[in-house]
């Protein structure tokens, strides 16, 4: 049985036994103290989904709803992702969803908790958890959702606004793409923009559906 070490440090790497499976990793991550974000979040929000998933979606960090539920992509952004997957013809059960940072970083604004962007040190500290998830799931397709995930995984120079929806070469998976985070669609200034942004997001996901279809046929 794996115990959850409780200690501080600059990286989660030393907490991760090489033989641990995804469920054991989830259990261990609950006690992670590798950066200070554990003090702010309610709990570690580890990835979730089919352990034999063919696609991994990687976002930035859990939001308010995810922090409270302890599950990724269960709030409004998760519902946008679910709708877009359905529209693109991707079976949700083929997917595993996670984030580059596993604790909710937030700032108080009145009684509300407002999202705060994780910094480079926090992203680096948490990266071993994501690497371990990718290693165990071994996906055919990895999709970065939003700039934080894209730049963490594909390099600082990556621009989602320019390169979204394109498959890029990466050692992370046979097919790797970045697109917007569904929360960006929610922040659209009006209904028309939201509708257009949703349509573009679905178009990006349809490219993944095509890849999976060809692989099914192969
Ligand atoms: S954000 Fe990641 S590295 Fe930091 S305490 Fe949480 S799980 Fe550990």
């Amino acid at each position: 049985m794996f115990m959850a070490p409780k200690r501080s440090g600059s990286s989660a790497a030393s907490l991760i036994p090489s033989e641990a499976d995804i469920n054991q990793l989830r259990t261990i991550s609950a006690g992670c103290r590798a950066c200070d974000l554990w003090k702010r979040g309610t709990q570690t929000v580890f990835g979730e989904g089919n352990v034999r998933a063919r696609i991994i979606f990687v976002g930035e960090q859990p939001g308010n709803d995810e922090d409270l539920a302890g599950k990724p992509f269960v709030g409004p952004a998760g519902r946008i992702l679910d709708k877009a997957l359905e529209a693109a013809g991707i079976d949700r059960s083929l997917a595993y969803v996670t984030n580059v940072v596993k604790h909710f970083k937030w700032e108080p604004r009145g009684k509300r908790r407002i999202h705060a962007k994780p910094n480079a040190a926090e992203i680096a500290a948490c990266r071993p958890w994501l690497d371990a998830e990718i290693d165990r799931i071994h996906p055919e397709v990895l999709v970065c959702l939003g700039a934080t995930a894209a730049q963490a995984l594909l390099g600082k120079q990556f621009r989602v606004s320019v390169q979204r929806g394109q498959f890029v070469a990466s050692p992370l998976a046979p097919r790797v793409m970045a697109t917007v985070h569904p929360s960006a669609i929610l922040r659209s200034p009006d209904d028309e923009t939201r509708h257009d942004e949703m349509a573009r997001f679905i178009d990006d996901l349809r490219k993944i559906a095509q890849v999976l279809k060809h692989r099914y046929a192969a």
Side-chain angles (χ1 to χ4, degrees):
M1 169 166 175
F2 295 96
M3 300 302 291
K6 297 187 177 179
R7 63 181 196 74
S8 292
S10 59
S11 169
S14 62
L15 309 183
I16 301 177
S18 57
E19 74 277 19
D21 67 22
I22 204 85
N23 292 322
Q24 291 164 328
L25 291 172
R26 182 177 293 107
T27 301
I28 299 166
S29 74
C32 183
R33 307 287 186 262
C35 77
D36 283 344
L37 291 184
W38 70 271
K39 298 174 184 170
R40 230 180 289 190
T42 304
Q43 57 196 315
T44 304
V45 182
F46 202 71
E48 202 165 89
N50 190 335
V51 293
R52 281 185 286 279
R54 303 179 71 205
I55 322 165
I56 286 189
F57 289 95
V58 185
E60 180 192 82
Q61 62 165 341
N64 186 67
D65 291 0
E66 287 80 8
D67 171 75
L68 297 174
K71 292 170 180 288
F73 288 94
V74 293
R79 288 193 282 280
I80 291 283
L81 178 62
D82 289 348
K83 273 175 75 174
L85 285 171
E86 190 180 347
I90 296 174
D91 183 347
R92 182 72 170 73
S93 69
L94 295 176
Y96 180 93
V97 291
T98 190
N99 289 293
V100 289
V101 166
K102 312 287 194 230
H103 271 99
F104 179 34
K105 183 175 182 180
W106 57 277
E107 306 289 351
R109 191 175 302 163
K111 288 184 179 169
R112 296 180 61 205
R113 303 190 302 170
I114 303 299
H115 163 275
K117 196 170 151 58
N119 63 36
E122 291 155 352
I123 291 170
C126 212
R127 177 65 186 265
W129 291 120
L130 177 60
D131 286 339
E133 289 175 294
I134 296 169
D135 177 71
R136 305 312 190 268
I137 301 286
H138 213 63
E140 294 168 31
V141 183
L142 182 146
V143 185
C144 302
L145 297 171
T148 300
Q151 293 183 353
L153 295 180
L154 304 175
K156 273 274 157 234
Q157 76 296 341
F158 193 94
R159 294 286 171 268
V160 172
S161 56
V162 177
Q163 293 164 278
R164 67 175 290 173
Q166 300 172 14
F167 288 112
V168 296
S170 166
L172 295 169
R175 295 287 195 143
V176 175
M177 175 195 284
T179 182
V180 294
H181 194 284
S183 62
I185 299 170
L186 289 169
R187 290 195 302 271
S188 299
D190 52 61
D191 286 349
E192 189 181 348
T193 310
R194 190 174 302 114
H195 179 270
D196 291 349
E197 286 301 317
M198 185 66 170
R200 287 187 73 193
F201 187 49
I202 292 167
D203 280 349
D204 291 342
L205 298 185
R206 282 200 177 112
K207 294 174 191 166
I208 297 161
Q210 279 300 109
V211 165
L212 295 176
K213 205 162 108 188
H214 286 312
R215 290 203 165 225
Y216 279 138

